[in-house]
Amino acid sequence: MISFEGLVAGIVFVLVGIAVALALLLSRKRSGDTRRRSSHPVVEIGYAVVLAAIAGAIAYVSASANNDLSAQVKPESATTPPAARVDVDAFQWCWRFQYHEPEKSVTGSCGDRNTDLPTLVVPAGEPVQLNISSSDVQHSFWIPDLRVKVDAFPDHTNAVTLTFDHEGQWLGRCAEFCGSYHTEMHFWVRVVSPQQYQQWLAQGGQA
């Protein structure tokens, strides 16, 4: 299924191709110089075809990547009731995940080689509301493999509702330079089945 972004990219590609073709035709018509020996219409057409193919390939790859993203993480509308609500608190230089209903707080020790990274556990296939903010300076909640990035500001909350379509585990990072240990500000996102998620909650949020 072609996404809205892919459809827009395709339309833009067609319009740009038509504009380039018309520009070439009008340029040659206006010149009216049949004595030019340096003109090579076959070569010019070949260049145009190659450029069009490259532009088409870029549009296709972009649309495919967007479809892959849509298959993993989907933004939900504000009217969709979330199955889980989590306050994501960024601070120098780690993360805290505060769950609601029931209330549970999860954190850890950040660092490149630390195995006790804070872990955000969420259910697969169900909307999850993340309320992202910062306790000190500006940070950014970033899951590179899922192409999710939301800024975290002090005294402000950015709310986003996402659905993670399949189970798995991905490494998250801070994408905003925030001081000396910015490069070690990592966390895990672990997506489990709804049944495993309820068991995890019943166990007090323990791994």
Side-chain angles (χ1 to χ4, degrees):
M1 182 179 179
I2 299 176
S3 65
F4 174 75
E5 292 82 358
L7 179 62
V8 171
I11 293 174
V12 171
F13 169 71
V14 172
L15 293 177
V16 171
I18 293 174
V20 170
L22 289 175
L24 288 173
L25 291 175
L26 291 175
S27 175
R28 293 183 64 83
K29 184 177 179 180
R30 288 176 181 175
S31 66
D33 186 1
T34 59
R35 296 171 298 176
R36 292 175 59 191
R37 293 290 181 262
S38 60
S39 178
H40 300 283
V42 175
V43 176
E44 293 174 0
I45 293 174
Y47 284 151
V49 170
V50 170
L51 291 175
I54 293 173
I58 293 173
Y60 174 77
V61 170
S62 300
S64 299
N66 183 75
N67 288 337
D68 291 341
L69 170 61
S70 299
Q72 296 180 20
V73 182
K74 298 185 300 185
E76 298 288 350
S77 65
T79 59
T80 304
R85 293 186 298 123
V86 185
D87 294 339
V88 179
D89 179 31
F91 58 92
Q92 292 176 315
W93 286 273
C94 206
W95 304 84
R96 182 180 299 105
F97 305 119
Q98 180 69 43
Y99 288 78
H100 299 259
E101 303 168 3
E103 292 192 0
K104 297 182 182 298
S105 182
V106 176
T107 187
S109 301
C110 292
D112 278 336
R113 301 181 181 180
N114 200 305
T115 58
D116 186 32
L117 294 179
T119 302
L120 174 64
V121 180
V122 295
E126 297 183 352
V128 176
Q129 179 181 319
L130 303 178
N131 303 312
I132 301 171
S133 61
S134 168
S135 295
D136 36 53
V137 299
Q138 182 177 343
H139 301 277
S140 188
F141 178 87
W142 183 35
I143 314 172
D145 289 341
L146 301 183
R147 303 181 187 90
V148 172
K149 181 176 177 293
V150 183
D151 288 335
F153 298 101
D155 302 320
H156 176 78
T157 299
N158 280 332
V160 59
T161 302
L162 304 171
T163 296
F164 299 81
D165 279 354
H166 63 271
E167 299 175 33
Q169 180 167 290
W170 296 272
L171 184 66
R173 306 173 185 274
C174 177
E176 186 75 27
F177 181 73
C178 55
S180 302
Y181 299 98
H182 158 71
T183 58
E184 299 182 7
M185 193 171 166
H186 302 335
F187 61 94
W188 287 112
V189 176
R190 182 177 300 150
V191 183
V192 299
S193 68
Q195 295 77 14
Q196 289 176 314
Y197 177 72
Q198 293 302 323
Q199 293 175 1
W200 178 80
L201 289 177
Q203 295 170 358
Q206 300 299 315

